[in-house]
Amino acid sequence: MHLRSLVAGLTLLGIAWAAPAAGGSAQTLDSATFSERTRTGTWVIKHFSPKCKHCRSFQPKWEQAVAALDDVQFGEINCAQNEQLCDTHNVEAWPTVSVFKHGQQQKRLLVGDQTKEALLQYIAETAQRPAVAVLGAGNFTEHAGKGVWLVKHYSPFCPHCRHMAPHWAKAADEAAAELGEAGVLLGEVNCIDNRRLCEDNFVDGYPTVNLFVDGRFVEEMLVKYEFAPMKEYMLKLPGRVKSGELAAKKAVPVVANDNRDWDDAADAADKAQESGPAEKLETDGARDAEPKSEVSKANEPKPAETKANEPKAEVSKADGEPKQPEESYNPDGEVITLTKENFAERTASGPWFIKFYAPWCPHCQHLAPEWTRLGASARGRINIGEVNCDEAGQLCAAQNVQGYPTLRMLWAGESAVYKGPRELDNMLSFVDSMLAQPRAISDAEQLQTLQEQSDVVFVFHGDAGGATARAVTAAMRKMFLAGRLGIVKDAGVAQALLGAKVAAPALAAIKDGRVVTYAGALSDADALREWLYAERFPLLPEFTRENADSLFYDSDYLVLGIMATDQGRESLDATREHVRDAAMQYQQWADKQGASPAAVRFAWIDGSKWTSYVNSVFRVPAAEWPAVVIVRPSEDQFFTHDIRGKKIEVSAMSVFLAVRAAVDGRLRAQSTRSIFVRAAKVVAQAVVHVWSLFFGSLIRAAISLAVLALLVYAGLRRASGTRSRRSSFTLVKAD
């Protein structure tokens, strides 16, 4: 900030200091209330300890500042009672003063028993910097409709926006005096909350900074979004205002739809309609839009070269009815018997729906005639198979079969377990939903129809018949996600739906009210699969029988919010909001680290439907709901208490801090295994250790361990009956 601005600010603060108290009192904040209270506005927060001598010395100066200033809010956190919260705020000494703006902590801290002048200067420079107005659909016209406004349009999920934020703030600070004298104002628009406004403001990507004069869009700030170039652009604005250049500059016309005249693809289509057949242009244009690095023409397969087990990337008709692939599976309408000898070879091609059973199982016997009917009904659509687990025990164990019958769909290594009613119509509906084809999207209504069927949908922009579309569709079909895919050919429609101008080919996920664009190469199958895995669930899905396996086994940690729907809709919504906010905080924190230290997913579970499961596995009775459990599936562990040894509070900050502590290994874990299994494991490890000490032979130790394990297994099986057929990790079993 310029010296004269700082002096002026300190002078004003000095007047306020001498005047009668105009402010209020500082609010007491803790882990349960901090996140909710500081979500909006500017907050000056003091972190202290009641026993700290320097804190007591600093207190009178703090109280005078609180009483004198009314343009910021003040809060206090007792670090002796909120240790985790203070650690998150990087507090290493008391007292520490920090500024939060709209929930985001500013980097600069004021540490120690500082003078009142130092406190005032810190507040002036950090909290009272010239405000950047928060604009939205409700106030944009009112504010930006008069005068000169430089407005940043951004998304809180955009990495480029987060990189730009400190540069923008610093440039605004240092250019504040000149801009203020010229009457130039600064604003910010969150495009996730104000998507339509950003479209109307000619925003074709994030971040975008546009200049408005009396509500008219004049130009985009076309400089590198870093401190020096942005400050230079800002400092030129006062001269341009004074010269009358901006007032005389011609406004950009706004058209009624989203195919604006800066949309190159739409322009190309219009010109082509005037000069030649539309069909030829669309085919050529789509191919030209695809980068050569994706799939070269030399390597692009011809129709005749398509593999027999690889369906074409056909698109459903506009009415939404899925097309069936041209390839024919299960041509004879029969159930194929699969064994350990032929399983790998047979299931390597095409989709399979497989029953894992035991001949003595009553439920399997009841299902047998329906399964035979399914084989006939699914003729030409999907291969139907069955595995006798009494004869192929190792194969069933490898497929994680934990009960009979288990119905699993397989395709190219991916799997999905069916847990619905074992009736023909229900099983056929499951097959149709899992093998559904992508559909063509030409307007918002068709996208909305797709969204009504799933919490997460995917949009591909490009030619449906191109090599890239075929590769994307094939990858998604093998993950049983193709039914969630919409293919958009028109560039203007893609811009309208995704909220940003994208170049074909492009892929994005739409979930939780935001658009997540795939940034990697669409030709990189492994990277694409990883991205689809990460984005296929919403931020906070409901834990169900159908998605339980995926949620547990695709996660290093699963955070479960246990809720009771019978406690009322208001309570349910409030609890879900806390857990969702915690998920958002963790996601933002992980993004700042550059890479997430662990795969952490969040979900909510309806305790009234899973009462005995929650009680038996997590030992959380209904009287303690709502509650939060952090599960570590790979280790058969879960956490219900925070670092202080108290139950994890159902608040965004408490859950966020507990998750970080669990990932860092700072929480005490409980085991989902029974005490007998844990004891057997300890005994077995001890035997191996002792035997190797005496005999020095790892081979003999391994043989001993195997014998002991068989004996323990026989004893546990005798004691627990049918439970011995399950793995020790029984988290996926519902009531």
Side-chain angles (χ1 to χ4, degrees):
M1 185 180 289
H2 286 256
L3 180 60
R4 62 174 181 274
S5 300
L6 177 58
V7 172
L10 291 175
T11 302
L12 290 174
L13 287 174
I15 295 173
W17 191 280
S25 59
Q27 299 186 38
T28 300
L29 304 175
D30 56 26
S31 298
T33 60
F34 179 83
S35 180
E36 185 68 26
R37 296 271 186 88
T38 62
R39 181 177 297 181
T40 59
T42 300
W43 287 76
V44 181
I45 306 295
K46 180 188 72 174
H47 304 77
F48 73 100
S49 170
K51 298 181 180 180
C52 162
K53 178 177 68 175
H54 299 293
C55 300
R56 293 195 293 269
S57 175
F58 181 68
Q59 185 63 18
K61 311 159 196 175
W62 171 256
E63 291 176 350
Q64 292 177 33
V66 171
L69 304 176
D70 59 3
D71 57 344
V72 295
Q73 300 181 79
F74 290 86
E76 299 180 347
I77 298 176
N78 184 339
C79 292
Q81 299 176 351
N82 299 274
E83 183 179 350
Q84 284 184 294
L85 181 59
C86 292
D87 286 345
T88 303
H89 295 172
N90 300 313
V91 175
E92 298 180 352
W94 302 317
T96 291
V97 179
S98 180
V99 171
F100 289 78
K101 292 192 174 185
H102 301 289
Q104 298 298 315
Q105 185 178 20
Q106 308 302 293
K107 290 184 177 181
R108 185 178 170 192
L109 305 177
L110 183 71
V111 182
D113 181 14
Q114 301 286 341
T115 64
K116 66 179 182 181
E117 291 79 13
L119 175 59
L120 287 174
Q121 181 175 350
Y122 172 76
I123 295 174
E125 294 180 348
T126 310
Q128 294 180 312
R129 64 172 58 160
V132 176
V134 177
L135 303 176
N139 66 358
F140 186 86
T141 302
E142 176 187 353
H143 292 292
K146 296 180 181 179
V148 180
W149 282 79
L150 187 64
V151 181
K152 178 183 77 171
H153 303 77
Y154 72 99
S155 163
F157 310 104
C158 157
H160 301 293
C161 301
R162 292 196 291 268
H163 173 77
M164 173 197 183
H167 297 274
W168 166 261
K170 185 177 180 182
D173 281 350
E174 299 201 3
E178 289 81 356
L179 294 178
E181 291 174 0
V184 179
L185 302 172
L186 303 177
E188 295 182 348
V189 176
N190 181 336
C191 290
I192 299 302
D193 296 334
N194 301 275
R195 191 178 304 281
R196 188 67 205 177
L197 174 62
C198 292
E199 292 173 0
D200 293 340
N201 286 354
F202 298 90
V203 175
D204 59 353
Y206 308 134
T208 293
V209 180
N210 288 342
L211 185 65
F212 297 86
V213 176
D214 295 330
R216 296 182 297 109
F217 169 69
V218 172
E219 67 183 29
E220 181 179 349
M221 185 178 76
L222 297 175
V223 301
K224 193 171 184 180
Y225 288 159
E226 293 185 354
F227 163 67
M230 289 194 293
K231 178 184 176 183
E232 181 181 358
Y233 177 90
M234 291 177 182
L235 292 177
K236 290 180 179 178
L237 289 178
R240 298 175 67 188
V241 171
K242 187 175 181 180
S243 69
E245 173 194 344
L246 297 181
K249 195 160 186 176
K250 184 179 179 181
V252 175
V254 178
V255 293
N257 57 37
D258 288 303
N259 295 324
R260 300 191 174 118
D261 51 19
W262 38 259
D263 191 331
D264 299 335
D267 284 344
D270 292 340
K271 292 177 182 178
Q273 274 190 328
E274 297 173 2
S275 60
E279 293 80 8
K280 186 175 190 305
L281 170 79
E282 290 171 357
T283 302
D284 294 342
R287 288 179 179 172
D288 291 342
E290 295 189 20
K292 294 180 180 179
S293 59
E294 294 287 348
V295 180
S296 67
K297 291 184 178 180
N299 296 328
E300 187 170 331
K302 298 177 182 179
E305 296 172 347
T306 305
K307 294 181 180 179
N309 63 335
E310 203 66 50
K312 293 182 180 179
E314 296 192 4
V315 180
S316 298
K317 297 177 182 178
D319 60 6
E321 290 297 324
K323 277 187 178 181
Q324 294 302 324
E326 287 185 2
E327 287 73 15
S328 178
Y329 304 113
N330 185 16
D332 300 323
E334 297 178 349
V335 177
I336 306 299
T337 299
L338 301 173
T339 65
K340 60 183 179 181
E341 288 80 17
N342 69 1
F343 184 88
E345 180 182 356
R346 295 300 296 268
T347 61
S349 301
W352 283 80
F353 197 13
I354 302 173
K355 175 184 69 174
F356 297 87
Y357 74 101
W360 47 263
C361 161
H363 297 295
C364 304
Q365 295 166 3
H366 179 75
L367 174 62
E370 287 291 284
W371 196 252
T372 300
R373 292 175 57 201
L374 176 65
S377 300
R379 179 177 179 177
R381 299 158 69 181
I382 186 172
N383 300 309
I384 306 296
E386 61 183 13
V387 177
N388 183 338
C389 290
D390 274 2
E391 298 177 353
Q394 288 184 335
L395 173 60
C396 293
Q399 292 297 318
N400 193 35
V401 174
Q402 299 182 20
Y404 304 134
T406 291
L407 309 182
R408 187 183 299 274
M409 188 173 287
L410 297 176
W411 196 349
E414 300 296 335
S415 70
V417 177
Y418 174 68
K419 297 183 179 180
R422 300 181 190 121
E423 298 175 356
L424 179 62
D425 290 342
N426 298 98
M427 292 187 291
L428 284 174
S429 296
F430 173 73
V431 169
D432 288 340
S433 65
M434 299 303 284
L435 300 183
Q437 298 294 301
R439 61 188 64 195
I441 301 294
S442 58
D443 55 40
E445 289 185 6
Q446 292 179 344
L447 178 63
Q448 184 176 357
T449 300
L450 187 61
Q451 288 179 298
E452 289 172 355
Q453 300 172 8
S454 177
D455 292 329
V456 180
V457 300
F458 298 89
V459 174
F460 175 81
H461 171 41
D463 178 18
T468 305
R470 291 201 300 272
V472 170
T473 303
M476 296 188 68
R477 288 192 66 202
K478 292 174 182 177
M479 296 178 67
F480 310 112
L481 295 175
R484 303 190 200 177
L485 177 64
I487 297 183
V488 181
K489 188 172 184 179
D490 183 83
V493 174
Q495 151 69 23
L497 298 180
L498 301 180
K501 188 177 180 181
V502 292
L507 179 65
I510 302 178
K511 65 178 187 177
D512 301 308
R514 61 193 181 100
V515 177
V516 183
T517 304
Y518 175 64
L522 290 170
S523 58
D524 188 338
D526 291 337
L528 176 60
R529 180 175 300 217
E530 288 296 320
W531 183 81
L532 290 170
Y533 265 125
E535 303 300 339
R536 62 178 171 162
F537 288 117
L539 195 60
L540 189 71
E542 181 181 1
F543 180 91
T544 65
R545 290 173 60 88
E546 288 71 29
N547 66 13
D549 285 347
S550 297
L551 284 173
F552 276 123
Y553 295 111
D554 289 350
S555 313
D556 293 328
Y557 294 85
L558 176 65
V559 184
L560 277 177
I562 305 172
M563 308 172 195
T565 53
D566 54 7
Q567 292 181 0
R569 187 73 188 182
E570 185 175 344
S571 173
L572 177 66
D573 290 344
T575 304
R576 274 198 301 219
E577 192 64 27
H578 285 307
V579 181
R580 181 179 285 107
D581 287 347
M584 187 70 71
Q585 288 186 43
Y586 186 85
Q587 186 179 67
Q588 293 174 347
W589 173 81
D591 288 344
K592 290 180 181 178
Q593 309 309 306
S596 175
V600 179
R601 291 196 186 279
F602 292 75
W604 71 277
I605 183 172
D606 185 350
S608 59
K609 296 179 182 178
W610 298 73
T611 305
S612 62
Y613 169 67
V614 171
N615 282 335
S616 61
V617 176
F618 302 125
R619 302 183 276 283
V620 180
E624 297 180 6
W625 302 347
V628 173
V629 174
I630 303 171
V631 186
R632 192 180 183 189
S634 63
E635 300 297 326
D636 294 337
Q637 295 176 341
F638 66 94
F639 310 86
T640 56
H641 292 71
D642 61 20
I643 198 168
R644 299 170 297 171
K646 298 181 178 180
K647 289 283 187 181
I648 300 173
E649 297 178 9
V650 185
S651 70
M653 182 56 68
S654 296
V655 175
F656 167 69
L657 294 174
V659 173
R660 285 190 55 184
V663 173
D664 292 342
R666 294 187 285 123
L667 295 189
R668 183 176 180 180
Q670 302 179 61
S671 177
T672 62
R673 294 171 176 166
S674 70
I675 188 171
F676 300 104
V677 174
R678 282 181 282 161
K681 183 178 180 180
V682 171
V683 171
Q685 290 174 340
V687 169
V688 171
H689 180 65
V690 172
W691 194 299
S692 26
L693 281 177
F694 277 96
F695 298 97
S697 171
L698 292 177
I699 296 178
R700 276 181 260 181
I703 294 173
S704 175
L705 174 60
V707 172
L708 178 64
L710 287 174
L711 293 174
V712 171
Y713 173 79
L716 291 176
R717 181 171 182 175
R718 185 183 298 270
S720 59
T722 57
R723 286 182 59 85
S724 63
R725 292 188 177 274
R726 303 178 183 176
S727 70
S728 61
F729 184 58
T730 58
L731 295 175
V732 296
K733 291 296 177 184
D735 294 346

